[in-house]
Every structure is written in structure tokens, then in C-alpha cells.
Amino acid sequence: SRLMNLPACELHRLGEIADLVISVRLSNVRKEELALALKNEGYIPKLLQLFQVCENVKNTKGLHLLFDIMRGIFYLDEAILFEVLFSDECILGVLGCLEYDPCLAQPRLHREIFTKTAKLQEVIPVRDPELRQKVHQTSRAQYIQAIILRNPSDLEEGFLPTLAFFISSSKGEILRGLQKDEEFVPKVFAQLTDEATAGEQRYELMKLFREFCAFSLILPEKRDEFLQTLTKFRILPTLEVLMGMDDMQVRSAATDTLSYLVEFSPVMVQEFVMQEARQSENDTQLIINVIEQVTCSSDPEFGGHKQLMEILCALIDPGKMLVAASSLEVLEFLDVFYNNYIHVLTAPLLADTSEEWYEIVYIDSTLFIFFLQLRTFIFLVDNYQTAEILASVLELLSFCVQHHQYHMKVYIIKKDLLRRTLLLMKSKHKFLALCSLRFLRRIIGLKDEHFNQYITLGNLFEPVVNAVLDNRNRCNMLMSALMELFEFIQMEDIQSLIAHIVENFSDALESVKYTHTFQRLKTKYEQGKDQQNQKQN
């Protein structure tokens, strides 16, 4: 209702202006009054003229004060100022003011970085001039928000809510406008796959398209229509190409987009995977691309590794398939996965646990000669990077054990996969040893007698018992997990495993004195034998 009196916009009064801007932060009414006065008096362009003067004469004190003033203006968080601050005439001056943070020894390069980004955005095929201007304005607001939120003390929840709402609503306006443009999606796809498109331009396109997909898919009334449009323009083959590129940023944005599609329409992606599997001449397949990025990553801790694993789990989760597919279709998909793709997932495990055959000559008392062939496995590579990859593979295989019980059981027994996995318990990396044990625990948790017979006949508890003996005097996560496994077998009274452990490893396990777990196993074994004798009698 009333305008605040502002100091004259002059160089010698910059300190007074800075104090005024900072002083109103605790009063919403005063902030509104100051914002209205700044707008009505055209004060921001005047401040930017002073910035030019200070920068030309290298007036460091004045530049530091202008930084405080401009940041303080953004801290007002008043929407009536955004149109001025993000305008073509003011944006570079505003960014210039924010370069001269008094806490930094050297000014930042906001104008240079932003100008480069703005040039890259020119590649975005937006025909409507008003919509294009909105794209530029939103990009400026996002960049300013990133600058303002750089300070950790500014990261509290709800900081600058008006600016955040301005960015969110502007994005919605842009994306609604793009939905009306029938030429937008085909033009984007054409430019994304065009070899002439530069890497940075492709990333800007992919970044906008990622947000476009995210926005369109969260609107239930438009989702089916949008998915049909994406299918028409072959979104999945396009993402397959982009995910195979060397550019990490493009690959990451493409992975995000695939993640949205898997979340909102897993059946569409699964049908595409089935279609690719039937076309045997197709060498580069989407699901193989996803698996190989998990298993061949040079740095598993980065590069969207966890996200790729989530995508893969979502694709092969029968629970998600059953929402829109019949049981027969689910079985058909699992058949395809185990016939065409599981070997890609297990390749690192098979490669790092090499199989060797030994021939033994035995001559009995009658001088009859026997030739025996024995098979053994050895763990080859144990560096950190390989351990990270193997841990990811085991996590995915554990998921398969839980969700694909029949298919995975056949595969494990056929490939003797558990024997290879338990070799990893010798790893110097305890997290990998734990993953190996967790895989065994998941199998035993099924309480499947076929699995139990496979374990006992193969003497697969030997590496587990060896791990207990190696860690008996230590208190660590591996030992706790080992004890939990034996406790589970005892509590669930899995007699075939109890008998195998007691009959083969009882003497060795007597040296583990600080727990009664193995004594309870022995008691269970004796009770089981008594019950068996009573039944026979």
C-alpha cells in the first residue's frame, strides 16, 4: 500500500543499500514493500549500471557490496521481480554481480558458463516464440537457483519457495506447450540420432526431453496417448543408441528416460525386449546394453549403476508383469531371459571363477588302473573394481533366486553356480564375501529340497565352514551373517542340511566355543535321528 523510500542509486551509497536489503529479510511485509519499490522505481537496471562502472574501474569493494545486494534481492523471494531479473536486458548483469562473492579469492565465471549453455539450447526445436522465451527464462531461473543454493546453510527445507514455484510452474507451461506441438517429438528424435549433432547439443536436447517425458508420464489422462506417440517414433531403439554412446551425460539422461518408461509402462519395454530376442540378427539389444553397463562399468560407484540395476530388476520382476500380462506371457518372457540374457549377467562371475580339471591315476591291489577326473574352481581376480561388479551381479542373481524360483534353480544346478559363488567368500573384500553368503542364504531360505540335495551332494558347506573357522576369533559382519545362517537352519529344522553339517563338520566346529549354535544343531540332529528310529520301529 505504501512505497518504501529507497536511497539514491549512487556508488557511495551502496553500503546503505546493502544494509537495507539485508534488514528486511525477517519481515514479510517489509520484503513486499521493498520489492514493490525496486520494481516501480526501475532500481535493478540502475544497480546494474553501477556494476558496469565498478567492474570497469575494478572497484572490488563496490563489487562485493553489489554481490550482497543482488543476493539479498533474490532472498526477498518476490515474484514481481523475476520478470526483470531474468529478462534479456538484465540477466548477464545479474550473473555478473553474483560472480563477486567476497568469500572467494577469485570471481566465478557465471556469465561465461551461462552464455555457453544458452547457445547450446538454441538447438531445441521450439517453434512458438513465446514458448522459446519461456524456455530461456526458466533456464536462467534454474541457473540462478543453483548459484543461490550453493551455500550449504541455504539448503534448509522450503528455502526460496516462490522461486521454486516459479521454476516448477514455468516448466509445466513449457511442457504443456510442447505437448501441443506435433512436430516436437519427431524433430527431437531426428536430432538425437543424427551423427552431425554435437555432444553438448545432444545432451541439452536429451535433458529437455527427459523432463518432457517425466512431466507427460505423471499425467494419467495423457499417459496412454503419450506412450503411443513415443512407440510410434521408436523411443526404445533411440534410447538403445543413446545408452551405447561414450558421452556419460547423454547416457545418464537416456538411462533416466528409460527408468521413467519402465516405471510407468514396464510391459511396453518387456514387449520390446521380446521382439528383439526374436530378431537374432540384432547384435545390440536394449537389455544386453543395460546388463553390460552394470557388469562392465569402469567405476560402479558412479555412472547411474544403482539406477541400471533397478531398471533391470523392474524388467524381470514377474509381479510387475502380472499386472498387464497373463501367466503364460510371464513364463514366455522368463524363458527368453534365461535362454538369451542370463549368461551376459553371469559372465563376470564365470570369468573370475575359472574351472580346472585334474586327472588322477589310481592303481588298486590287483594292478587295475583307474583314471579319475576331478573338477575344481579357482578365484582369479580380487581387485576392488572387480569386487564391486561381482557384488552387483550377486545382488541381481539373489533377486532372480527370490522371484524366478524354477528358472533360477535349473540354471544354478546346471551351471554349478553356487559352487563358483562360494569361492568369493575367500575375497579380501568383506562386502563381496557377504554378498556371496547372502546368495546362499537366499537359496536356503526357499527351503527347497532340490536345492538342499544339490548343496549336500556337492559338499558346498565346506567354504562356509572354512569362513567360520577363519573368523572364529573376530567380531564382524561376516561372522554375524554366518551365525544367522546356521541359526536359521536350526530354527527351521532343515534336517537334510543339519545332518550334512553335523556328520561332516561337527569336529571342526567344536573349536568355536563362544556360541551355542553348533551345539543346538547337534541336538537337533540327534532328535531327528531318534524320531527316524521311532518311525522305523
Side-chain angles (χ1 to χ4, degrees), residues 246-283:
D246 293 333
D247 189 319
M248 183 67 77
Q249 289 183 313
V250 171
R251 215 161 64 194
S252 175
T255 302
D256 288 342
T257 308
L258 177 62
S259 180
Y260 299 145
L261 294 176
V262 169
E263 180 182 356
F264 289 104
S265 183
V267 174
M268 180 183 89
V269 185
Q270 288 156 354
E271 286 175 354
F272 177 73
V273 169
M274 294 277 286
Q275 181 184 340
E276 283 199 315
R278 295 187 188 106
Q279 298 169 351
S280 55
E281 72 278 1
N282 189 356
D283 294 330

Side-chain angles (χ1 to χ4, degrees), residues 343-361:
H343 69 277
V344 184
L345 180 58
T346 57
L349 177 59
L350 300 181
D352 287 310
T353 52
S354 177
E355 182 180 43
E356 291 189 355
W357 289 86
Y358 294 92
E359 189 169 77
I360 298 176
V361 179

Side-chain angles (χ1 to χ4, degrees), residues 42-96:
Y43 208 78
I44 292 172
K46 295 176 185 177
L47 286 170
L48 298 181
Q49 288 175 3
L50 288 182
F51 167 73
Q52 292 295 337
V53 172
C54 290
E55 191 170 46
N56 290 337
V57 300
K58 297 182 178 174
N59 181 345
T60 304
K61 183 180 178 181
L63 291 169
H64 287 168
L65 287 169
L66 282 162
F67 170 88
D68 291 333
I69 292 167
M70 194 56 63
R71 186 174 63 172
I73 289 172
F74 276 106
Y75 282 176
L76 296 177
D77 200 32
E78 293 293 336
I80 59 171
L81 299 178
F82 293 160
E83 187 177 343
V84 178
L85 291 165
F86 303 137
S87 65
D88 293 343
E89 297 78 19
C90 293
I91 185 61
L92 289 179
V94 169
L95 289 169

Side-chain angles (χ1 to χ4, degrees), residues 86-88 91-92 95 109-125 132-133 135-141 143 200-201 203-205 207:
F86 303 137
S87 65
D88 293 343
I91 185 61
L92 289 179
L95 289 169
L109 302 174
H110 295 317
R111 284 171 288 183
E112 181 182 330
I113 296 168
F114 180 78
T115 302
K116 182 180 178 182
T117 305
K119 285 181 181 177
L120 292 173
Q121 288 179 339
E122 294 299 323
V123 74
I124 296 171
R132 179 174 284 276
Q133 181 60 28
V135 170
H136 293 326
Q137 190 181 51
T138 308
S139 173
R140 294 162 187 172
Y143 191 83
E200 291 178 327
Q201 291 178 330
Y203 173 59
E204 286 298 323
L205 275 169
K207 195 165 60 170

